[in-house]
Amino acid sequence: MDELKVFSGTAHPALAGSVCDYLGIPLGEVEVFEFSNENIFVRILENIRERDVFIIQPICSPVNKSLVELLIMLDASRRASAGRITAVVPYYGYSRTDKKDQPRVPITARLIADLITTAGANRLLTADLHAPQIQGFFTIPVDELTTRPILAQYFNEKALDDLVVVATDIGISKVARDMAAKLGAPLAIIEKRRLGNVDATETLNIIGEVEGMRALTVDDEIDTAGSLVGVVNALLEHGVTEVYACCTHPVFSGPAIQRIATSRVKEVVVTDTIPVNDDKKLDKITVLPIDSLIGEAIHRIHTGLSVGAMFE
């Protein structure tokens, strides 16, 4: 793997370091900092001419800084004559703005795709996009990984009795159905309605039998945890004995940690596509590593092997 180079922005260096440990290579040397005027400076400190370059940078908090930093790193790599540049974006920020569902609003997820491509990326490697159609926003190849087998393995090892998997809304019901199949559990669906553009939802109905069972809610991300708390309360009111929750992306913005701490959810299981810093760690939050998932995908892309075969 002499021609493989992996670099990290400032958004999640711990993940990049673990990925390089999996690959058995050193993390690439790069200088990234912000001037006093908030302009971002990037300088790659080693030769990458004609090398296979991977830049690991989730578009997470601070979202706009992480995004611009990624774009500048891509441009720096292109101008340094890298042979191929893959943007490794475990969490694709702005992914929820994926359609024009109101008058005079943008499709920001498409805009971000254009920016990443224009900056110099030849390929995108990501995980559990909010909507599958985001792949179609790109004119470059997109490899979308999924962390659901990792989450399913965790709960299989817990061997919970009388488990029912609950989709937190109709849009993620297919994902929840696949999770239920992996766990050998029945499926229920929460029907809910979002209230305008604020981070608030109104829980309407539970489709499926949940009374007297343990529930595992499935979602792609937890943002402010308002929806999660509403779902947990609704399930407990309908006779569920315990509620567990899992998601891929622990955004945990605003009052999320306080809400989780005071809610009656038994355990929240997430992956480290986004760093969960010390101020966001609770005893009831479990973070599963994805370094081997990302590392194996990078190895397969670099060597020309199938990435899809990882999930067959």
Side-chain angles (χ1 to χ4, degrees), residues 11-12 15 58-63 90-92 95-96 127-128 147-148 151 219-225 228 245-257 260 268-282 284-290:
H12 203 347
L15 175 60
I59 306 175
C60 59
S61 180
V63 172
Y91 175 65
Y92 190 88
S95 62
R96 289 195 287 183
D128 290 329
T147 67
R148 272 110 201 192
L151 295 168
D219 210 340
D220 61 321
E221 68 177 64
I222 297 175
D223 188 0
T224 63
L228 173 63
C246 72
C247 78
T248 298
H249 308 297
V251 180
F252 292 161
S253 63
I257 295 302
I260 293 171
V268 177
V269 182
V270 301
T271 72
D272 64 345
T273 57
I274 297 172
V276 180
N277 299 323
D278 291 341
D279 60 336
K280 294 185 177 181
K281 290 181 178 178
L282 299 172
K284 64 169 68 175
I285 295 178
T286 301
V287 183
L288 304 180
I290 62 161

Side-chain angles (χ1 to χ4, degrees), residues 46-61:
E46 53 189 280
N47 178 29
I48 59 170
R49 184 177 295 273
E50 298 303 322
R51 302 295 179 93
D52 198 5
V53 172
F54 293 79
I55 298 172
I56 299 178
Q57 177 86 333
I59 306 175
C60 59
S61 180

Side-chain angles (χ1 to χ4, degrees), residues 91-99 108-109 112 128-131 134 137 220-221 249:
Y91 175 65
Y92 190 88
Y94 288 103
S95 62
R96 289 195 287 183
T97 315
D98 63 322
K99 56 186 174 295
T108 315
I112 301 304
D128 290 329
L129 291 167
H130 180 68
I134 293 175
F137 294 168
D220 61 321
E221 68 177 64
H249 308 297

Side-chain angles (χ1 to χ4, degrees), residues 74-120:
L74 291 170
D75 184 70
S77 300
R78 177 172 59 87
R79 295 177 186 277
S81 301
R84 180 176 63 178
I85 307 167
T86 301
V88 183
V89 185
Y91 175 65
Y92 190 88
Y94 288 103
S95 62
R96 289 195 287 183
T97 315
D98 63 322
K99 56 186 174 295
K100 194 172 185 293
D101 54 0
Q102 301 175 51
R104 298 174 296 281
V105 297
I107 304 178
T108 315
R110 169 59 195 266
L111 173 63
I112 301 304
D114 290 342
L115 291 172
I116 289 173
T117 305
T118 300

